[in-house]
Structure formats: structure tokens, C-alpha cells
Amino acid sequence: MTGFLLPLASLFPPDPALGSLVALLAVMAVSLTSRINVGLLAIVLAWTVAVAVASWKTDAVMAAFPSSLFITLLGVTLLFGAAEKNGTLAAVTGRVIGFCGGIVALMPIAFFLLASVISAMGPGAIASTALVAPIAMSTGVAARVPAVLMALMVGNGANAGNLSPFSAVGLIVQAQFVKVGLPPSTASVFLANFVAHTLAAVAAYCLFGGLKLARKKDMAEISAPLVKLTRTHVFTLLVLILWVASVVLLRVNIGLGALAAAALLILAGAVEDGAAMKSVPWAVIALVCGVSLLVNVVEKNGGIDLFTHLLSKIATPSSVNGVMALVTGILSTYSSTSGVVYPTFLPAVTGLVEKMGGGNPLEIALSINVGAALVDVSPLSTLGALCIAALPAGGGDPKVLFRIMLLWGFSMAIVGALFCQFFIGWFA
């Protein structure tokens, strides 16, 4: 099998860390210049580099597949696809538009606030996005709001509340602060993150059509037909509410809970199973999971460590806030913010200050928090993936949305570095 892959493997450096990093950069370049589903290319390159360059067994490549992300995307899209097919989402969308007074320019703002509040209450950013994105994206299509604007408002809103003292991720960060001897900084941690994401949302609103919506006089009000609620709609809404409650209150796995809820709707005759399965965006799931597989291969072979190590070498006491935000932002683009970046970098803060001979530990810690989180609306993260997967049929090309959000995610690494370098001291 290795011999079969050798011709392709010869295109990459023999060092596993460097070779895997080159493969990832190649996929990123293709994603920006071609209409191919790069998830398929990513799977092929992950297999090639892992087996032929890094000498992995094929079983190890299969084990690196992001099964948790796959289940989350499949479950959520199947559940809300069922709700779309039986007309429940249309009924909800019309009422959401009515709740905003028909003022289209307010809708992205309303969903930003909704995602932020839900996230801050405890479920965190991923759960908040899973709950809000399907309704937000379908409402955006109905109200002719650009899909990228709605996706960025939901993603940034979910992340804005993610470090509240009630959120699971916020508790993780606070525990790391205590572990390394940093002072309790609940307000600083939350406010720095919330302000950074609010500013990012304002920028997205201005850049992707929010101001245009506000200026259009003929869009001051929009009439959406109110679909009469049927027993099927009411039953579907009850199932959705139970799913939300199970995720928020009982910490049920989002994807598995969504699959159970979708199965209940099908068994109860609220939707045809064939119609529900056809609503699953398989191309998007292949895209996101394929790239995530390659990212896992890169990470396990040391490619991300190689890149971030080179960047960290340029840090000085005067530039460390910006450098650490940049490093953690780039790393977070390809790996879990709460599961990898925070547990890896926050414990190293005090040691880093000692080695450099200067620097404010709290400012560095806040820079790690903000820099790592701002990039999480990238489609390489679960938040961005959920927003893309929630794009309804007729709402635009998901590949185009993928490219725009990918560029936005990368740009946020630089924006986060600048924000932390010049402004993070305000929150320390």
C-alpha cells in the first residue's frame, strides 16, 4: 500500500512535521483557487503523508477521523433538516422576522445577542451555535441577509459569551488561572473576550452588508407569510425544545441527542425518513471532516508545533501579548481551543515570563484567551462548520461561504494579535 502512495508522497518533504504542514498549506491554497471539494483532497493527502511519510498504519489514519465532529454535524443537520422538510422552520422563521418588527437590519444583531446569551448561560459556544445557527441561517435566507453575515454574527455571538463564569469553557480557563497562580480574573476574562468578539461582529456587520440592509428603504419592513402551526409543527417544536433542554441542563451530547430527536420525529411520522436524509448536506460534511482529518494528522506529526515554535521564538517582553495571540490564533485554527490551546499555553504563562525576563502574566493569559477564540468562526472549527452546514438549500454556494469564512478566520489571527498587543492591557 505504501508503494502505491510513494509517487504522491514524493511531492512532500520527508520530515513528517514539515511534510504534513506542506500538505495542509496545499489544501488551503487549493480551497482558495478551485471549486473542488477539498475535503476529498484532504483525506487523500492525510492518508498519503501519514502512511508514506510518517510510517503510520492505515488503522491509525482511520482513528484520526473526526468522528465526534461527524456525529455532531450529521445529527444537527438531520434534525433541523427534518424540521425544515415538515414546515416547522418556515413557521418559526416567519415569527422571528415578525419579532424583529420586519426590520431586516436588526436580524443579524438579534441572532448575535441570542447566541451570546445562550452561550454565556452555560452550554458554551458549540452548543449555542448548534441551537441558533439553523434558525438564523434559514431566517437570513428568507430575509435576504447575506449568508456570510449571518454566519459570522452567530459564530462571534456564541464565542462572545463563551468565557462567562457560568460557561464550561469559562470554568476551564478559571481553573487554569488558579493552577498557575494567576489572580482570580472572572470579569477580565469575560470582558476581554466579549469586547473582542463584539468588535469583530461590528466589523462583519459593516463589511458584509449590514449597513446596506439598514440603508435600503424598501427593506425597512419585510412581510413573511405566517405559516399556520399544525400538530406536526407543534410536536416538532416540542422535540426541539426537549433536545435543547437535554443539551443545556443534562449535558447530553449534541450530535447523539440530535440523532435521537430526529429518529423520534421519523418514528412518529412527523417527517419522511427519505426526505430528512436528503436534507443532510453531505458535501459540506465531507468538506469539513476531510480537512479536519488532515489537521489531526498534521497535529499528531508535529506540524503545528513546528510552526508555532518558530513564531514563539520572536517573542519579547514588549511584543509577547501580540505574538502569543498570533501563535495561539494560528494553532486554534487547526485544533481545539478549549481542549488543546488553553490547557497547553495557559500553564506556560509564568514560565514564559521568567524566561523572557519580563511581561505581565495576566495580559499574556488574556491574550491567549482572545487570540485563540477569535479565529473559531473559521470553517475549520466546529462553530464555522455548524454555520456552513446550516445553510439551507437555495441559500447560496457552501463552497463560497467556506472560502470567505476561511479567509476571515485567518485574518482574525492577525486582528487578534493587534488587539492584544495594543488594547489587552485595558482589561488586566
Side-chain angles (χ1 to χ4, degrees):
M1 185 62 70
T2 303
F4 173 75
L5 297 175
L6 283 177
L8 187 58
S10 65
L11 299 175
F12 302 102
D15 176 66
L18 184 58
S20 62
L21 187 58
V22 170
L24 180 60
L25 294 175
V27 168
M28 296 300 101
V30 171
S31 73
L32 298 175
T33 59
S34 173
R35 295 183 64 85
I36 187 177
N37 187 319
V38 293
L40 304 179
L41 176 62
I43 292 174
V44 173
L45 294 186
W47 176 41
T48 300
V49 172
V51 173
V53 178
S55 301
W56 285 24
K57 298 294 185 182
T58 301
D59 288 346
V61 181
M62 299 299 291
F65 184 81
S67 56
S68 177
L69 177 60
F70 175 81
I71 291 295
T72 298
L73 294 177
L74 175 60
V76 172
T77 56
L78 179 62
L79 175 58
F80 281 93
E84 178 189 5
K85 291 298 182 182
N86 69 15
T88 302
L89 279 191
V92 172
T93 296
R95 284 160 177 80
V96 170
I97 294 174
F99 180 77
C100 292
I103 304 175
V104 179
L106 291 180
M107 292 175 191
I109 299 172
F111 281 110
F112 170 86
L113 295 174
L114 178 61
S116 178
V117 169
I118 293 176
S119 179
M121 287 171 60
I126 293 177
S128 174
T129 303
L131 301 177
V132 174
I135 295 176
M137 299 303 285
S138 62
T139 301
V141 170
R144 299 189 290 281
V145 176
V148 65
L149 172 59
M150 198 63 88
L152 292 178
M153 295 299 281
V154 171
N156 280 296
N159 251 350
N162 199 35
L163 294 185
S164 82
F166 310 106
S167 167
V169 180
L171 294 174
I172 290 173
V173 169
Q174 290 298 330
Q176 293 291 343
F177 272 45
V178 172
K179 186 176 181 180
V180 299
L182 290 172
S185 307
T186 302
S188 297
V189 168
F190 175 72
L191 287 175
N193 183 66
F194 184 85
V195 170
H197 282 91
T198 299
L199 293 175
V202 170
Y205 190 86
C206 295
L207 290 172
F208 294 107
L211 296 178
K212 186 177 180 181
L213 293 175
R215 287 196 300 264
K216 278 188 174 183
K217 293 182 179 180
D218 60 335
M219 293 289 284
E221 291 188 358
I222 182 170
S223 59
L226 284 182
V227 178
K228 183 180 179 181
L229 288 175
T230 65
R231 289 182 179 179
T232 297
H233 297 156
V234 173
F235 176 72
T236 302
L237 288 173
L238 288 175
V239 171
L240 289 174
I241 291 170
L242 288 174
W243 172 63
V244 171
S246 70
V247 170
V248 174
L249 301 178
L250 303 179
R251 307 293 184 184
V252 169
N253 180 275
I254 298 169
L256 293 175
L259 284 172
L264 179 58
L265 291 177
I266 294 171
L267 288 172
V271 66
E272 293 291 334
D273 60 340
M277 291 300 294
K278 287 180 181 178
S279 68
V280 175
W282 296 107
V284 173
I285 292 177
L287 172 67
V288 174
C289 290
V291 175
S292 295
L293 171 62
L294 178 56
V295 167
N296 287 341
V297 170
V298 174
E299 185 177 359
K300 291 179 183 297
N301 280 304
I304 302 301
D305 289 340
L306 171 65
F307 190 59
T308 54
H309 176 72
L310 296 175
L311 285 177
S312 64
K313 287 293 185 181
I314 65 175
T316 65
S318 61
S319 66
V320 65
N321 293 343
V323 170
M324 290 308 292
L326 179 64
V327 170
T328 53
I330 293 173
L331 178 61
S332 184
T333 303
Y334 307 112
S335 61
S336 169
T337 300
S338 59
V340 175
V341 178
Y342 290 161
T344 299
F345 282 85
L346 288 175
V349 168
T350 52
L352 178 63
V353 172
E354 292 177 2
K355 290 180 181 179
M356 290 190 305
N360 185 313
L362 180 56
E363 290 184 11
I364 297 173
L366 295 179
S367 298
I368 292 171
N369 291 346
V370 172
L374 272 177
V375 304
D376 278 347
V377 293
S378 160
L380 303 182
S381 76
T382 305
L383 303 190
L386 285 168
C387 289
I388 294 176
L391 184 67
D397 188 343
K399 294 179 184 176
V400 174
L401 182 58
F402 179 93
R403 294 189 193 106
I404 296 175
M405 293 183 69
L406 181 65
L407 289 173
W408 177 271
F410 282 133
S411 71
M412 284 298 104
I414 299 174
V415 170
L418 294 174
F419 176 85
C420 292
Q421 181 64 33
F422 295 108
F423 303 111
I424 205 67
W426 294 5
F427 305 94

